[in-house]
Amino acid sequence: MGFVRAAVAGEGSPAVGPPAFVGREREIAALSGALAQAPAVVLVEGEAGIGKSRLVQEWLAEAPARRRRVLMAVCPPLRESLTLGPIVDAFLGRPPADLELTGLAGALRPLFPEWAAELPPALEPLDDAKAARHRLFRALAELLQALQVDLLVVEDAHWADEVTLEFLLFLTSRQQRGGPNLLVTYRPEEVDDQSLLLRLSSRLPAGVTQLRVALTLLDQDQTASLVSSMLDGKPMSAEFSTFLHERTDGLPLAVEESVRLMCDRADLVFRDGQWVRLSVSELQVPPTVRDSTRERVGRLSPGAQRVLQALAALTEASAEATLTATADVSADDCRSGITEAAEAGIVVGDELGRWRFRHMLAAAAVYESIALPERRILHLRAGRALENLDRPPVAQLARHFREAGEIERWMRYAEQAAQRALASGDHTAAVMLLDDLLSTAELSSTDTARIARTAAVAALGRKDSVDEVHGRIVRTLREILASAGLTARQQAEIRNPLGRLLINLGEAQAALTELEQAVADLDHDPVEAAKAMTFLGWAYAGPWPASTHLYWLERAAELAPKVDLAPDRLSLAGNRAAGLLMLGEEAAWDLVSTLPTDGTTSAERFDVARINANIGTGALVWGRYQEAAHHLTVALGLAEAEQASRLRYNVLLELANLDWFAGRWEDLAARAATLAEAEPDRPSIYLASIRLTARLAAAAGRRRVAEEQFQLVLDEAARLGAVDDTMEAAAALARLWLADGDSERALSITQQPIEAVETKGVWVWATDLAPARVAAHVAAGQVAQAINLMERFALGLRARHAPAPQAALAACRAHLATATGDLDEAADAWARTADAWDALPRPYDALLARERQAKALLEAGREDAGRELLTDVYESLFRLGARGDADRVAQRLRDQGAEMPRPWRGGRRGYGDALSPRELEVVRWVAEGKTNREIARILTKSPATVDQQLRSAMRKLKVSSRTALAVAAVEAGVLTEESGSTDES
């Protein structure tokens, strides 16, 4: 029994051939079928090394004629994605000579300067970046049509820049008018939830063929076939097959690289008609592709390794000329090195003569093996080589000169790349480019000031949620301001946007400090000065009285005639209206009536959304809930249309607050938790979400949770200097402690917030605080102090149509009426208070006022009226969901001798084997064929709540399926029953 052992590499070792295309027959058929039904969008997804690109190549190879009408775009994994880079690179090599292009193609000149002779004249620039982008997309679509491209392939779309993805979405909207089919490959694990890539599958127009091909790992048999195809078609042993599959999981790239490494090591023998490994239990297959790549590269000639190092530094596909210059070798030596690497399966070329690593993991492995001094030299050469291209890739140049330590060139190209990103709407890329420059490079004070201001303004333009990018640029700007060398004017131009960024972070006091310092040195820029002044007019923080804030708002108004652009005037007017609302100024509403609810450009619509969100928030404070609902609804629609996630979360939170006030509590806890998780790095949103959760906990009787959460809100708001956010939390804690009879503690917790209200003179903030403080004074026997506070509150609300604070003023008067001992007057006062709350509407506060009214009636000897009213209050509180309060009222009724159910201690009211009203609702919709998600949307519940109620109904009717449930419900006649219950399960 003889065997042939594979010789050591270089000594006649059996050649390792390219791997066959294995296990993808079904996917190829599906691909062909979908693309034969134009228009089509095909998504090929899978992890790195799974074979997405190979699938596309094999499909194209089936019919070579297809290639003539296919455009290939590859998205490189750059640190900062190059705007539209993949699409531009795909067109290069196909000059538009002899093509019939309209004047619209003049928009392509900035992208293709090397085509200047063939393209129409440049078009007039547009002020609206979104309109300019749309025009550019139309021009690119025209070029596709002129080239008769019927399939655009975009590989590695998870690395695509946002504008490239927007262009793909644009193409899908035009497919029925002759646009090309799309074939997109990507790694799903590298696509975040906010990526536009997801829309390619979720928002396709009617009539478009859609196919999603999810490539899976090879099974053991397929793995064995793959290996066999690389080894002269001869089979491998079962033991070897099992071992290799276990170690690689059937990932084609890992399988291929492992086989090559084993052959390089002469680790295979051909025995008894099959390939086996020596010492299977001892010799390890490299755990990662990186390890195998490094060893394989190490076996190449020094010249080939040098070329691969250059290619690894370049990262993206590169022409031989660029590679030659980067590697600093002759053209012949470069070509020889490329040939050697290609034969080893490490690099691949494209139709344009560019070369790249077969797998990016291999590129990373080679790059990490390069010593730091040599890396710098490679990057310097790469940068110099790319500078000589007709259209230098500025983002790549910034990266190369950064790594090379060439500060001046790095700065120049980073600024150019940032401006291109801003022009395309990619503010995040611009911020990251400039922040990296500011935080790493040694710059002059002049350069630092200019770049810092640009970065800060770019950060303000981001529509994303507050995240690490936001926090990072704030830290950088603060460090720059703390260093010496900047003039007062330079500091002002940085402090102004920094102050507004701090507002988003919830650092209210710090924001005012920066803005106040900035405004003194912004005389040269009336627009920016006016912006700073309007934000100084916002009374959200600081010890200033209302008069100081009004002073800044008036100064901003005086600068308005110097503001030329309509968008700037709109922004300033909206900010001034919001500032006046915060200050409780009735004049704000006249200004509000002049503001628009839509815009003509993307930037204007975003600003209108922001303005309406601020007005809606102010309307909530005033208790003008219909107006709040209107403005918040306008803001939400515009924010969603403009994909402004940060603003959207603002509005969703205020809508949740509106639902709390209006008594629409179902699913509020889940909504609050979702909002808190969505914006954990933004204190204002996070704390407001916690405050909403605390309200619900207090109403439900979960005292410890409510107390802890209100204290958290109070402490953090005080730390951040957000004075207005301390009011409700302090009032809520005071009410909890007054229920314990601890008036001293209640007075202590409300002392600082009420002083802030009085200092500022903004009494519309005292809706929750003033009644709690008056009640604490009364409980402590300090009636004179209570009267004094009530009178100051009344004076502060004079001539203001602020329904919520006015209702709170009625509550203060009712507390004082109770203190006098005139129980009939107290009952009437509490009735007036309840009516005032009901008028808003604010049912929870109205019910608590009626509870006090009933108590006064009972103590006045009017037992029947008191018990009847208290019973109504109990039932209404229970229906509302305030079951902790309902429990307290039930106990009071029981003390009065009324027959009541035992106090509620949590959980649902019992219905035995009968369906609750909410379960009946769910069963009715199930019987009509609705899904849980559809039912949740109809009933405005969460899908989890619907599922819980559905399971409960199935358990009660003793069935195990939805169909059986519907049948059982009909047979039992429950679908014809009227609910008539107060349960809110």
Side-chain angles (χ1 to χ4, degrees), residues 263-457:
C263 285
D264 288 346
R265 290 178 171 180
D267 204 27
L268 294 178
V269 295
F270 189 73
R271 178 187 295 158
D272 293 337
Q274 58 184 4
W275 290 103
V276 298
R277 279 191 50 133
L278 295 175
S279 304
V280 169
S281 62
E282 297 177 6
L283 189 61
Q284 294 184 345
V285 174
T288 64
V289 174
R290 179 175 299 164
D291 294 337
S292 65
T293 301
R294 285 184 176 179
E295 186 160 356
R296 285 175 53 213
V297 169
R299 293 180 178 275
L300 299 178
S301 68
Q305 292 185 40
R306 186 164 184 160
V307 171
L308 286 178
Q309 288 180 342
L311 187 56
L314 285 162
T315 304
E316 68 284 343
S318 302
E320 284 188 21
T322 303
L323 263 176
T324 298
T326 303
D328 192 25
V329 296
S330 68
D332 289 342
D333 287 344
C334 182
R335 191 170 299 109
S336 175
I338 290 172
T339 301
E340 186 179 351
E343 290 176 349
I346 298 173
V347 300
V348 292
D350 61 21
E351 294 176 349
L352 299 178
R354 297 175 304 182
W355 294 92
R356 62 178 175 84
F357 276 85
R358 183 180 180 85
H359 306 295
M360 289 310 302
L361 287 176
V366 172
Y367 184 78
E368 290 178 5
S369 69
I370 305 171
L372 184 58
E374 182 61 24
R375 283 189 200 174
R376 290 178 175 171
I377 294 172
L378 287 170
H379 283 294
L380 180 59
R381 293 182 191 139
R384 289 172 175 170
L386 293 173
E387 276 185 313
N388 294 323
L389 296 180
D390 292 334
R391 184 177 182 272
V394 290
Q396 296 172 31
L397 285 167
R399 178 178 69 88
H400 287 306
F401 287 123
R402 177 193 189 279
E403 299 301 328
E406 290 280 317
I407 304 300
E408 288 297 324
R409 284 168 156 172
W410 170 20
M411 178 178 65
R412 180 167 71 250
Y413 290 118
E415 289 190 90
Q416 290 180 27
Q419 290 301 328
R420 287 191 184 181
L422 288 173
S424 65
D426 192 352
H427 287 70
T428 298
V431 172
M432 294 300 290
L433 278 162
L434 299 178
D435 182 81
D436 186 32
L437 186 62
L438 290 167
S439 58
T440 308
E442 292 288 338
L443 304 174
S444 69
S445 59
T446 300
D447 291 334
T448 297
R450 181 187 66 255
I451 296 168
R453 181 181 181 280
T454 303
V457 173

Side-chain angles (χ1 to χ4, degrees), residues 61-209:
E62 276 190 351
R66 289 173 178 161
R67 288 183 176 272
R68 291 197 298 271
R69 304 186 68 181
V70 173
L71 191 68
M72 299 286 296
V74 179
C75 305
L78 300 175
R79 182 180 297 169
E80 292 87 23
S81 299
L82 185 61
T83 303
L84 280 176
I87 304 300
V88 171
D89 288 347
F91 280 112
L92 293 176
R94 297 195 181 194
D98 301 323
L99 295 182
E100 294 184 4
L101 299 174
T102 68
L104 179 64
L108 299 175
R109 282 179 170 269
L111 295 181
F112 304 98
E114 58 270 52
W115 294 352
E118 289 84 10
L119 291 174
L123 303 178
E124 289 293 325
L126 297 176
D127 293 333
D128 184 357
K130 196 166 186 178
R133 189 184 309 175
H134 183 261
R135 185 170 71 180
L136 177 61
F137 287 177
R138 289 173 55 212
L140 287 170
E142 178 181 315
L143 183 57
L144 283 171
Q145 188 172 15
L147 289 169
Q148 298 184 328
V149 173
D150 59 12
L151 175 63
L152 173 60
V153 178
V154 181
E155 293 209 60
D156 296 327
H158 50 275
W159 283 320
D161 62 282
E162 188 172 359
V163 181
T164 294
L165 295 177
E166 286 184 357
F167 177 63
L168 299 184
L169 291 170
F170 172 83
L171 288 180
T172 63
S173 69
R174 297 167 62 91
Q175 280 182 309
Q176 292 179 324
R177 289 180 282 171
N181 294 328
L182 290 181
L183 197 166
V184 180
T185 72
Y186 65 100
R187 301 179 190 172
E189 68 273 14
E190 295 196 31
V191 179
D192 62 47
D193 293 339
Q194 305 301 317
S195 174
L196 295 177
L197 185 57
L198 298 177
R199 296 193 186 180
L200 283 177
S201 60
S202 62
R203 300 188 183 180
L204 291 180
V208 175
T209 301

